[in-house]
Amino acid sequence: MSDESTTNDDRDGMDPVTLEILRNQLESVAAEMGHVLIRGAYSPNIKERQDCSTALFDASGRMVAQAEHIPVHLGAMPDAVETVLEKDPKPGDVFVVNDPFAGGTHLPDVTLVSTIAPAGEVLGFAVSRAHHADVGGSTPGSMPPGAREIYEEGLRLPAVRLVDGGEPNEAVHELIRANVRTPDEREADLRAQRAANARAEERIGELLDEHGPTLISAFDAVIEYSRERVETELAALPDGTYRARDVLEGDGVTDEDVPIEAAVTIDGPSLAVDFAGTAEQVAGNLNAPLSVAKSAVYFVVRAITDPEIPPNHGCYEPVSVSAPNGSLLDPNPPAAVVGGNVETSQRVTDVTLAALAPAIPDVVPAGGQGTMNNLIIGDRSGEFTYYETIGGGFGARPGKDGMDGVQVGMTNTLNTPAEAMELEYPLRVERYALRPSTGGDGRFRGGLGIERTVTVETDATVSLLTDRRRTAPAGLDGGGDGATGQNLVDGEPVPAKTSVDVASGSTVSIRTPGGGGHGDPAERDPEARERDRRDGKVEE
């Protein structure tokens, strides 16, 4: 902690030791919420893959603490709380929202916002966001690749009371159950989210008993502390405007490239990202609400500054994000948006990092896989819906190889274990392995992609939302590009974004991209090359 921060803390009446204790206690509450949600959930997507996030907000809607979960969830949560604040929340209320045009990101991400009022006065909000494996729509899994309107993507919920003053709103529960393919699973996962939020109110009540009004003062103090530290980090970067451009490979309706342009301006202790020049909103589902673009930029700022800075509203105060209204990154309803959250967010991350590479070459890695490789398999009768995002190559870093077979960018979910898949679904895992020679060559090698092959043991619908199938993850500073990915059904290539009905016994193979290399390949350590060969990371 800097001398200036210490002085400010003393002036505000909170000494640094108390601040550190309260900060850790608040972050522990957010983390415990996540544990309750994951352990209490029914669907493998939440209990195994941990595709969920939790956070605490103060009474004015500022994020005070968050668990280190899914980047694309957390940066967009404030918009959901802002929407709830307009509904005059009272003690005992729990709001549910997934509308991307009113605080959500895409329809499968269902957010619960609960008031925290242990003594009868609203002190803040507990927020949990979880990806539900089905919320209705035209295809199982609610991620139809060819959607042209949000109405095709599933049940759309503005901020409504799921619990009203402590009493469950049965009408809303019935509405949700009537519009999804797996209602019992949805109900169970919503109960887990409610339990996570309730745990937050319980723990905050205990902290209030322990610390009294000092707890509320800590909300302001931890936010101010994070803001000052991020501003210090940004001020140390070279001022200027840095630009980059990249593309998405079609929008699910056409295969035409969709450009994203970013101008990143560093001006002392502030950073602004302007996406002017980005494509207009598209016919398909890669449109992304501005909250998604903000999440991606916030993630980048967290990545290029000190990771030890407490993640809260203060981290984002020095950052501004803008995009033209009606563009890919600020679409107007009824635009389809389900792919924007998972794929467009990845490209926003890529292009923002690429813009910053000349400013901070010792920090920014080469291009990672740049896609979540979304695979959805389900039957139209509603018996099951399986959803997975599949890892790939992490870009090589300025002083280290990239990581193999990991989630990159805006998601950090786990995989679904083969045993859990085969127990829960009519699926059989045939192959799950790293792809040799898919990482870009360089002084430091890019990470390897993955191949996952699954046999579908019943008639089903397979939906794919993927990218980097023809545009390779870029190498940096002379490094080679990573390999592109590929999708196969029964051994035949299929488009990056598609939905197909398959018969029992069909196989689906996802081959994910590798990461780009960093630096001149001629400078790679010969011992490292021998190790690559010995470990099977390169083909003979």
Side-chain angles (χ1 to χ4, degrees), residues 303-431:
I304 65 171
T305 57
D306 186 349
E308 298 301 318
I309 297 173
N312 58 47
H313 178 81
C315 295
Y316 312 137
E317 280 191 323
V319 181
S320 62
V321 181
S322 61
N325 181 251
S327 71
L328 181 77
L329 301 181
D330 189 16
N332 294 315
V337 297
V338 72
N341 187 64
V342 291
E343 293 301 302
T344 305
S345 66
Q346 295 283 71
R347 196 63 69 252
V348 171
T349 301
D350 288 348
V351 76
T352 305
L353 281 169
L356 286 166
I360 41 177
D362 294 336
V363 174
V364 174
Q369 70 160 341
T371 174
M372 293 192 196
N373 301 296
N374 300 270
L375 170 63
I376 309 99
I377 305 174
D379 69 337
R380 295 187 179 276
S381 68
E383 289 297 318
F384 80 100
T385 303
Y386 155 79
Y387 171 63
E388 182 94 71
T389 60
I390 303 173
F394 192 96
R397 293 156 283 182
K400 189 179 292 186
D401 287 349
M403 293 176 284
D404 303 320
V406 295
Q407 300 287 2
V408 175
M410 295 304 289
T411 184
N412 60 355
T413 56
L414 304 181
N415 65 187
T416 305
E419 297 83 356
M421 280 181 64
E422 295 178 349
L423 179 66
E424 297 277 355
Y425 307 115
L427 304 174
R428 187 172 69 252
V429 179
E430 305 289 355
R431 180 175 175 80

Side-chain angles (χ1 to χ4, degrees), residues 112-233:
L112 262 57
V113 180
S114 305
T115 55
I116 297 176
E121 177 185 356
V122 176
L123 305 180
F125 300 91
V127 184
S128 58
R129 176 167 287 175
H131 185 115
H132 286 245
D134 187 275
V135 290
S138 62
T139 61
S142 311
M143 299 182 72
R148 292 173 177 264
E149 296 179 315
I150 195 170
Y151 310 117
E152 300 174 64
E153 296 179 337
L155 176 64
R156 182 177 169 192
L157 294 164
V160 294
R161 284 178 170 87
L162 189 69
V163 178
D164 189 348
E167 294 297 323
N169 187 339
E170 295 299 339
V172 174
H173 282 274
E174 291 175 10
L175 177 67
I176 294 171
R177 290 181 62 88
N179 282 278
V180 301
R181 292 181 177 83
T182 47
D184 291 343
E185 186 176 273
R186 299 288 65 73
E187 190 74 44
D189 287 346
L190 286 171
R191 284 199 302 269
Q193 287 185 255
R194 285 175 56 188
N197 290 13
R199 179 64 60 87
E201 184 173 53
E202 177 185 346
R203 292 291 184 250
I204 292 297
E206 293 170 356
L207 292 178
L208 190 64
D209 290 341
E210 179 181 354
H211 298 288
T214 303
L215 177 65
I216 308 305
S217 299
F219 293 172
D220 290 328
V222 297
I223 288 171
E224 179 66 12
Y225 174 58
S226 293
R227 181 188 62 78
E228 289 181 352
R229 288 193 58 185
V230 168
E231 287 181 339
T232 299
E233 293 278 329

Side-chain angles (χ1 to χ4, degrees), residues 459-473:
D459 295 349
T461 298
V462 175
S463 296
L464 296 164
L465 274 173
T466 65
D467 215 85
R468 295 292 194 205
R469 268 45 185 177
R470 62 173 185 258
T471 306

Side-chain angles (χ1 to χ4, degrees), residues 55-57 61-66 74 77-78 223 311-314 316:
L56 296 174
F57 287 73
R62 299 179 303 168
M63 184 186 288
V64 175
Q66 67 181 52
L74 294 163
M77 275 187 179
I223 288 171
N312 58 47
H313 178 81
Y316 312 137

